[in-house]
């Protein structure tokens, strides 16, 4: 199979890596990719929101699978264009991707499908905002209705900060606060059948102890030793199958990956959010554990072949990823500094470096080029060993002003949630 991965972050480096380990994948391309993907795939520098440029590239290389990593091209309708030209694609069409592109639409689908989620109101005016904040009380949860790369959500006890965020966003969704640990469950769907991957946990806040602003994700681990038995089956029955049936009923079948963000609250399991693509950085750990070849699975989401797949194979053990972020992330990150120690970090047993926000500086050096610069993965017999390896590798990275969380998977390695 000739495969093309669209995107250039840590998630896409993980996808390229997993596809490179699939014996069925004979030729591997990435657009635009990053210095890390260039070691495993041929990178093509194109604008990935330009549908024509992507379809031309896919046709030229004879792609039998185009796997779209990020949400922006999905919401812009890239999958529709590829499907129209008969090119097999991993990722939902524009209408189905609205499940991530509009929080209000996602809530509407959940309501129609009877999916348990936080009570919410869509607000446009200051008066509506004020009334919703009164209704739900603190902590206040205020979400930008549109795409915001995981950074459009403010959770705060400060009423003024909640009101200010609502003013800045315009149309917002205000909802009840969900307590309890969060779980990310990824599910492959061909529009009718759904197959779950391994649940993972992400760390959304910038600093240790879940302090600081929300980010795209500062680290992740899988599996979750503390997760209640039967969690995946419960979520498939109460969330995934009803949602996929509802999307099909609306004439916009959901083909690709459904990211189910969950909170395990004291009142039961609730959906925090849906995304229309693999999560970053959870993908880095989930794909590290996957033993089933990835290429055919992704292709089957397009061709309707998931009905024949009952369960996937997973490697025993655990994986942890730690994000190395640039100074000032998630604000305006400092770019351009050289990243040292990459080879040394890769040399740590059981660890490897995935590039997230990097670019070439000259022919051989790598520089920081984004907020989340690297996603360092450690894998091992258990979470404790995976953590140890990930952090040993992170310690070898040299990037001026960079920071990382020191507590990724710390509690889970001790058996807590
Ligand atoms: P979202 O973009 O909807 O995933 O929100 C980003 C993050 O904000 C989530 O991962 C949670 O950590 C937090 N969050 C979102 N909604 C809620 C909620 N209703 N209650 C508590 N925390 C939330
Ligand atoms: N890690 C959160 C996300 O990908 O949305």
């Amino acid at each position: 199979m000739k495969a093309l991965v669209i995107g250039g972050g840590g998630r896409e480096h993980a996808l390229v890596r997993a596809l490179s380990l699939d014996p069925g994948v004979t030729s591997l391309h990435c657009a635009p990719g990053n210095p890390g993907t260039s070691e495993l795939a041929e990178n093509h520098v194109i604008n990935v929101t330009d549908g024509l440029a992507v379809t031309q590239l896919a046709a030229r290389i004879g792609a039998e699978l185009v796997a779209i990593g990020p949400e922006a091209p999905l919401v812009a309708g890239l999958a529709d264009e590829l499907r129209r030209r008969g090119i097999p694609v991993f990722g939902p069409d524009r209408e189905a991707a609205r499940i991530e592109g509009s929080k209000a639409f996602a809530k509407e689908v959940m309501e129609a499908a009877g999916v348990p989620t936080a009570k919410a109101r869509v607000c446009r005016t200051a008066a509506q905002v004020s009334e919703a904040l009164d209704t739900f009380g603190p902590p206040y949860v205020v979400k930008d209705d549109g795409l915001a790369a995981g950074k459009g959500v403010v959770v705060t006890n400060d009423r003024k900060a909640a009101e200010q965020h609502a003013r800045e966003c315009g149309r917002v969704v205000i909802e009840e606060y969900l307590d309890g640990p969060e779980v990310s469950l990824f599910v492959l769907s061909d529009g009718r059948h759904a197959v779950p991957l391994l649940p993972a946990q992400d760390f959304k806040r910038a600093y240790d102890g879940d302090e600081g602003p929300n980010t795209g994700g500062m680290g992740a681990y899988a599996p979750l030793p503390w997760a209640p038995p039967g969690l995946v089956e419960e979520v498939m029955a109460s969330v995934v199958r009803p949602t996929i049936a509802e999307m099909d009923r609306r004439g916009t079948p959901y083909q690709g990956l459904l990211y189910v963000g969950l909170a395990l609250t004291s009142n039961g399991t609730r959906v925090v959010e849906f995304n229309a693509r693999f999560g970053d950085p959870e993908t880095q750990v989930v794909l590290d554990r996957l033993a089933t070849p990835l290429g055919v699975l992704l292709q089957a989401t397009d061709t309707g072949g998931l009905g024949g797949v009952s369960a996937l194979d997973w490697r025993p053990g655990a994986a942890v990823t730690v994000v190395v972020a640039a100074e000032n992330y998630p604000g305006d990150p400092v770019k351009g500094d050289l990243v040292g120690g990459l080879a040394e970090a890769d040399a740590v047993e059981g660890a490897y470096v995935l590039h997230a926000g990097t670019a070439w500086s000259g022919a051989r050096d790598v520089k920081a080029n984004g907020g989340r610069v690297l996603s360092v993965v450690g894998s091992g017999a258990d979470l404790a060993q995976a953590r140890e390896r990930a952090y040993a590798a992170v310690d070898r990275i040299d990037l001026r002003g960079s920071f990382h969380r020191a507590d990724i998977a710390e509690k889970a390695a001790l058996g807590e949630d």
Side-chain angles (χ1 to χ4, degrees), residues 4-6 12 15 66-70 73-74 78-79 82 89-91 277:
L4 167 63
V5 174
I6 301 296
E12 288 75 30
L15 284 164
V66 180
I68 303 173
L74 292 168
L78 179 58
L82 289 158
V89 53
F90 168 70
R277 35 83 195 167

Side-chain angles (χ1 to χ4, degrees), residues 16-273:
V16 163
R17 182 177 184 275
L19 289 168
S20 77
L21 297 171
D22 177 346
V25 174
T26 50
S27 160
L28 194 49
H29 301 259
C30 193
N34 62 39
T37 64
S38 74
E39 288 177 15
L40 303 168
E42 186 179 338
N43 280 355
H44 301 268
V45 181
I46 57 166
N47 172 5
V48 300
T49 48
D50 176 351
L52 187 62
V54 176
T55 47
Q56 281 174 347
L57 171 64
R60 182 159 63 77
I61 63 182
E64 291 149 299
L65 169 68
V66 180
I68 303 173
E71 60 275 18
L74 292 168
V75 171
L78 179 58
D80 309 52
E81 283 204 45
L82 289 158
R83 286 202 173 93
R84 252 198 311 274
R85 288 174 169 76
I87 300 168
V89 53
F90 168 70
D93 281 346
R94 185 206 318 252
E95 281 300 306
R98 287 180 68 213
I99 209 153
E100 171 165 5
S102 165
K103 302 240 181 229
F105 175 75
K107 285 287 182 191
E108 182 191 314
V109 171
M110 284 190 251
E111 193 179 340
V115 167
T117 184
K119 291 195 199 79
R121 296 229 186 121
V122 182
C123 304
R124 289 180 194 77
T125 67
Q128 289 170 340
V129 166
S130 184
E131 203 197 318
L133 294 175
D134 284 343
T135 305
F136 297 127
Y140 303 110
V141 182
V142 181
K143 302 184 171 188
D144 192 341
D145 182 42
L147 282 187
K151 292 180 271 184
V153 178
V154 163
V155 180
T156 179
N157 280 308
D158 179 344
R159 172 91 181 211
K160 290 216 155 49
E163 286 170 351
Q164 187 183 338
H165 185 60
R167 258 196 313 277
E168 283 165 7
C169 294
R171 186 168 131 119
V172 290
V173 173
I174 293 180
E175 61 183 44
E176 80 180 299
Y177 177 78
L178 300 173
D179 61 356
E182 287 185 44
V183 172
S184 303
L185 181 69
F186 302 161
V187 181
L188 296 168
S189 167
D190 64 9
R192 300 265 154 76
H193 313 102
V195 179
L197 305 187
L198 211 55
Q201 190 171 51
D202 178 22
F203 292 73
K204 292 250 168 55
R205 300 281 186 150
Y207 313 128
D208 286 7
D210 293 330
E211 300 287 338
N214 266 319
T215 70
M218 293 296 294
Y221 65 92
L224 311 178
W226 50 267
L231 175 68
V232 172
E233 200 25 66
E234 179 207 329
V235 175
M236 292 301 287
S238 66
V239 176
V240 174
R241 287 187 207 110
T243 300
I244 284 169
E246 172 64 19
M247 294 299 282
D248 195 26
R249 192 190 64 75
R250 288 168 178 246
T252 54
Y254 194 91
Q255 293 177 284
L257 186 132
L258 183 65
Y259 170 133
V260 185
L262 299 157
L264 310 192
T265 78
S266 37
N267 297 320
T269 306
R270 299 277 184 280
V271 173
V272 176
E273 62 165 340

